């Protein structure tokens, strides 16, 4: 009844090509943003949102969303499957660390940018094989990225400033004299970065560059014939995607973990981010967020469920069980989504909206 | 020089194992167009199940056939639940589904048997073969030799199975053209079932051999992943390619680790096969024995 | 109304192309004049699609010479030919399945766009103005092809006939000088065919676009084309006006399947 676009006439193409052409969507979105920026801190000051919520749920959720967004650009939009996401995150994290460490007075945001650019450069190099190979050949090649980069960061002492354990401690986040110390301030910092970058990504995918990615993904021969240059398009996707992953990696180190070692960016992390994209919805910005939320929340709920079962039945479950069950649930969900809804949660959301539009009439 | 040959031979011996695992991939890929990322998880699962049963007090002679039965069931269930609904989907979707499958199987293995490293004793000692030590003054592990011999026998058996038997021929027909195979009455699902069962068998053998050497643990999945660069070298559809590719990867990775490793801090066998395969891809995207693809539109 | 057929814009001499052992094209030579509708016909496997692929650089002939706008070359390349105004449709629809009709048509305008990805990312000022300007052009094509109602639909969900129409739209969006159409009416019903014919004639007429057309429906070919070239087993067996071709004994034999 209330979700209806009737009566909203779009007089110009400007209006029609807005991110949210339907008024209700704009309102809901504005509300969500306001809630994230103002509501959540307010609730925190009232003691309703705890520190734990910030450090274990909200901040990682946002950072993973950004990484998933990066992978989604490459895999969901440009159709190039990558299993090396974590490696690009690692490059971003360790590059930012070194920029901060070695250049006096380096502003942190600039360091993150530079870290992202380093990741982009690495992305271009490891994206070169995509010009000749496709599909899982490419996926196999991206494993090379994953293993090689992590090895490099581990073995070359310079990257970790010769820390004996290989662990780096990220510097403080200071902007204009303000130190982002509390978990809430870190959350807000990450939220701001992620919001801006998500907006930029949305703009890209709805303009020519985004269309070039999707064209290459859907039918590369035809894309070439109408004038998209495959080399440029694919490498651009690798660069932009790796930039996003690189910044996500830097945030991962600076705003989430604080201390991190190269092994923290292992193949498992790459897979997790791939799962976010598959479950959330390949080729959807919103999907990256939905998928990240899902994958961040799932283990938490699983644990609650297992604890509850333990309490209810009185049986002591083995301690490693929850992580094994987590693997099984992830695995089954991936298969389930690929079979039932390959476009993931984002499509379910879409379908839900269309239903709502018709509600309460069946047709 | 002496030492070089020792390393080379050890590399080739471990390469035979890669060839075997790679063949598991090739079989499934040829028959159903699926690149089965879960092969590594299957290796882990099989080894862990066999050892787990053994640790429960069963003799290996009982535990191994029992595990085989489990692997066949696992293969059939996978075919039924995962692959059949995804038939005719793009290859890349199937590939991602097998990534999910691999998570599931790894989780399942650990949920049943726990996450601890388990030792496995097949009764073959990992000591240099005396005869070779006496006559050629070379230290080659007896275990490696026997394992390689078993793997080589399996590889030969599979190659023959694929080219000579009736089911093998049916399989090739399926590989060439699903639709045509269906229309001449080859029961696709049977063929797929057989192939997945065979892949389970390959996983079991390689899991036991590797497990006996390094302990049965999660890292077995990474070992099995090494079959990927093997396949890139050999081409995803070629049986000889898998064999030769396995030997090349095995030998080059050992040589690189021993002779190059010390200069760069070691541990390069983790990535060397992948980078080698990647460089190779740039020169010959279709692999050593794969067919050249002409894009049509 | 008299047609204003111009000079030769594109010509081929001795084009040969083979795949392994198959000779798809053997020493083909013909030309295309500005503003004409030039049909290529022939039985299945005659090499018609291969010829189009040679024209826009998907295939590179082993032999022969192509002269396009006075410049001679061995083979075309896809980017260059798109840039110089050659657009096409495909025998097996090659649309971007995951994108909407509007987006598909917008891709056709990519070579006319100036902005870079940084401006795109900001979607601000010149980038937005450009996007809107091209959107207007795309809408004109959508109006012309009468597909307003499906503009936001993903093309994968459309019926075959409409997909063919969208593909024509994508090609037209490039404002091509030469339009290559590979069986634009295959698999359509009579009504859809009539629509398609009308669109092709309108484009040729109003925009002066040169059209190279492959079509199996003889009625259509004879009706709308100015000149026809006939291929059989990769060889040219006839070339001329529809009437000349119709009367040619080799053509009759080829179509009746007389043994060679
Ligand atoms: N990429 C390719 N690889 C191998 N052979 C090809 C390729 N493209 C075309 N051929 C072969 O070249 C010959 C001509 O094919 P082409 O598609 O040009 O014929 P056509 O005249 O368009 O036929 P149809 O009416 O069936 O579309 C055929 O024998 C075909 O098999
Ligand atoms: Mg054709």
């Amino acid at each position: 009844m209330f979700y209806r676009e009737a009566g909203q006439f779009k007089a110009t193409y400007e209006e029609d090509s807005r991110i949210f052409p339907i008024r209700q969507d704009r309102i809901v979105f504005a509300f969500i943003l306001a809630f994230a920026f103002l509501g959540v801190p307010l609730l925190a000051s009232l003691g309703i949102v705890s520190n734990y919520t910030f450090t274990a749920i909200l901040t990682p959720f946002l950072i993973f969303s950004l990484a998933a967004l990066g992978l989604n650009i490459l895999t969901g939009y440009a159709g190039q499957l990558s299993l090396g996401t974590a490696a690009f995150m690692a490059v971003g994290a360790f590059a930012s660390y070194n920029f901060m460490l070695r250049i006096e007075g380096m502003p942190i945001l600039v360091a993150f940018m530079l870290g992202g650019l380093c990741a982009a450069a690495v992305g271009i190099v490891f994206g070169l094989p995509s010009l000749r190979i496709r599909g899982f050949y490419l996926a196999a090649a991206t494993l090379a990225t994953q293993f090689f980069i992590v090895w490099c960061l581990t073995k070359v002492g310079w990257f970790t400033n010769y820390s004996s354990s290989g662990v780096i401690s990220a510097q403080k986040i200071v902007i204009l004299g303000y130190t982002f110390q509390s978990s809430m301030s870190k959350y807000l910092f990450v939220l701001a970065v992620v919001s801006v970058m998500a907006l930029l990504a949305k703009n890209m995918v709805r303009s020519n560059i985004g269309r070039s990615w999707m064209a290459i993904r859907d039918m590369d021969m035809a894309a070439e014939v109408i004038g998209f240059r495959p080399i440029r398009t694919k490498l651009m996707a690798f660069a932009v995607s790796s930039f996003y992953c690189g910044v996500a990696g830097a945030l991962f180190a600076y705003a989430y973990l604080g201390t991190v070692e190269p092994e923290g960016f292992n193949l498992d992390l790459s897979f997790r981010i791939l799962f976010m994209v598959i479950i959330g919805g390949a080729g959807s910005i919103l999907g990256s967020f939905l998928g990240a939320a899902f994958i961040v929340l799932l283990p938490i709920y699983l644990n609650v469920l297992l604890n509850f079962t333990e309490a209810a039945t009185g049986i002591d479950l083995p301690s490693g069980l929850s992580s094994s069950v987590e693997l099984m649930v992830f695995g089954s969900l991936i298969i389930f989504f690929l079979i039932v809804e390959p476009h993931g949660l984002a499509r379910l959301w879409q379908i839900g909206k269309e239903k709502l539009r018709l509600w309460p009439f069946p047709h | 020089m002496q030492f070089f040959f020792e390393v080379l031979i050890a590399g080739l011996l471990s390469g035979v194992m890669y060839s075997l695992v790679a063949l598991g991939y090739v079989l499934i890929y040829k028959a159903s167009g699926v690149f089965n990322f879960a092969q590594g998880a299957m290796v882990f699962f099989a080894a862990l199940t066999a050892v787990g049963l053994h640790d429960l007090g069963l003799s290996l002679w009982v535990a191994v056939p029992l595990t085989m039965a489990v692997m066949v069931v696992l293969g059939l269930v996978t075919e039924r639940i995962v692959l059949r609904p995804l038939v005719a989907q793009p290859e890349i979707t199937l590939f991602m589904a097998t990534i999910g499958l691999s998570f599931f199987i790894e989780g399942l293995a650990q949920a049943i048997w726990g996450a601890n490293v388990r030792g496995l004793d097949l009764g073959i000692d990992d000591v240099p073969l005396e005869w070779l030590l006496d006559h050629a003054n070379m230290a080659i592990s007896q275990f490696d030799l026997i394992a390689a011999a078993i793997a080589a026998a399996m590889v030969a058996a599979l190659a023959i199975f694929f080219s000579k038997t009736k089911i093998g021929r049916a399989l090739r027909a399926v590989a060439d053209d699903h639709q045509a195979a269906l229309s001449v009455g080859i029961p696709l699902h049977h063929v797929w079932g057989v192939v997945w069962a065979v892949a389970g068998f390959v996983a079991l053998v390689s899991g036991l051999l590797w497990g006996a050497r390094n302990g049965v643990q999660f890292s077995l999945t990474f070992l099995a992943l090494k079959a990927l660069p093997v396949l890139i070298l050999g081409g995803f559809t070629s049986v000889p390619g898998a064999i030769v590719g396995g030997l090349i990867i095995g030998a080059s990775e050992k040589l690189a680790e021993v002779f190059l490793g010390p200069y760069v801090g070691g541990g390069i066998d983790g990535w060397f096969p992948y980078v080698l395969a990647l460089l190779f891809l740039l020169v010959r995207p279709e692999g050593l024995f794969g067919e050249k693809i002409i894009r049509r539109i | 109304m008299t047609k204003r057929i111009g000079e030769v814009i594109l010509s081929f001499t001795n084009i040969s192309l083979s795949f392994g052992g198959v000779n798809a094209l053997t020493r083909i030579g013909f030309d295309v004049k500005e503003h004409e509708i030039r049909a290529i016909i022939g039985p299945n496997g005659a090499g018609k699609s291969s010829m189009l692929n040679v024209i826009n650089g998907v295939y590179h002939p082993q032999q022969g010479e192509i002269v396009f706008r006075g410049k001679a070359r061995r083979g075309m390349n896809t980017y260059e030919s798109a840039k110089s105004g050659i657009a096409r449709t495909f025998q097996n629809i090659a649309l971007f399945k995951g994108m909407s009709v509007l987006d598909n048509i917008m891709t056709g305008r990519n070579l006319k766009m100036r902005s870079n990805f940084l401006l795109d990312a900001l979607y601000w000022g010149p980038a937005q103005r450009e996007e809107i300007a091209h959107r207007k052009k795309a809408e004109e094509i959508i109006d012309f092809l009468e597909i307003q109602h499906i503009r936001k639909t993903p093309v994968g969900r459309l019926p075959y006939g409409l997909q063919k129409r969208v593909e024509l739209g994508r090609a037209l969006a490039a404002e091509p000088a030469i339009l290559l159409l590979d069986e634009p009416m295959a698999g359509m019903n009579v009504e859809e065919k009539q629509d398609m014919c009308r669109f092709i004639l309108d484009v040729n007429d109003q925009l002066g676009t040169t059209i190279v057309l492959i079509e199996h429906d003889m009625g259509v070919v004879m009706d709308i084309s100015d000149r026809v070239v006939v291929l059989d087993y990769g060889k040219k067996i006839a070339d001329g006006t529809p009437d000349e071709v119709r009367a040619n004994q080799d053509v009759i034999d080829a179509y009746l399947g007389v043994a060679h």
Side-chain angles (χ1 to χ4, degrees), chain A residues 172-186:
Chain A
K172 287 200 177 69
I173 305 174
V174 184
I175 295 174
L176 301 174
Y178 178 80
T179 310
F180 290 81
Q181 188 86 29
S182 72
S183 47
M184 184 170 85
S185 67
K186 283 182 183 163

Side-chain angles (χ1 to χ4, degrees), chain C residues 113-126:
Chain C
M113 297 199 178
R114 292 278 92 78
S115 86
N116 64 31
F117 83 100
L118 282 175
L119 285 178
D120 279 354
L122 294 172
Y123 201 81
W124 163 83

Side-chain angles (χ1 to χ4, degrees), chain B residues 294 296, chain C residues 19 22 24 44-50 59 91 183 216:
Chain B
I294 307 175
R296 327 182 55 141
Chain C
F19 300 99
V22 183
N44 286 81
K48 307 179 295 291
S49 299
S50 300
Y59 293 161
Q91 182 170 358
E183 306 197 10
H216 276 298

